[in-house]
Amino acid sequence: MLPRVVVQTEDFDLSDEIAKLRAADKRVGAVCSFVGTVRDVNEGDHVSEMELEHYPGMTEKSIEATIDAAFKRFDIYAVRVIHRTGKLQPLDQIVLVAVPSSALAGPGDPDYNKPTEGECRNYGYKAISKRSESSAPVGCGTK
């Protein structure tokens, strides 16, 4: 069984991670995924590097709590969150959130208890702090 939450410095392979989720459960009809990447601009300021730090144990616990809430709210089979830490450059992948279910639903669908892409994305942003090499600070929730 795949761990639900992994915090690591190494990059991840989106196709490989989705394939593992699909192979683990033959009921899967869709996988909602989000991959966050480092941008080279934040609020008009050039970003050459971003450093992500976390508190081991606390970070995973916070993301796990969000996943537990998702299982109560949505008809999903699993959740896989991989969040990178350390120094990252523009275009580097930061986070993967992948959520398999029977299918993903939209407004008006009788099975509207499936997660949206935005909800999938939010599962990956918990207890991670950002610093960037630019003329302005960067952080989750910064506009």
Side-chain angles (χ1 to χ4, degrees), residues 109-131:
D109 189 315
D111 290 327
Y112 196 52
N113 61 336
K114 309 290 191 268
T116 66
E117 181 180 338
E119 289 163 325
C120 289
R121 178 176 57 244
N122 289 333
Y123 301 143
Y125 288 105
K126 298 290 179 184
I128 301 284
S129 67
K130 299 181 185 181
R131 284 197 315 251

Side-chain angles (χ1 to χ4, degrees), residues 24-74:
D25 192 335
K26 292 182 181 181
R27 299 173 300 162
V28 173
V31 178
C32 172
S33 65
F34 169 81
V35 175
T37 60
V38 179
R39 296 172 293 173
D40 67 347
V41 175
N42 182 61
E43 294 185 351
D45 294 310
H46 176 75
V47 175
S48 59
E49 181 177 85
M50 179 170 64
E51 183 172 4
L52 298 172
E53 299 176 335
H54 78 110
Y55 293 100
M58 188 175 91
T59 300
E60 294 86 347
K61 184 177 179 181
S62 176
I63 296 171
E64 287 281 357
T66 304
I67 292 171
D68 289 342
F71 271 100
K72 291 177 184 170
R73 183 171 174 199
F74 301 111

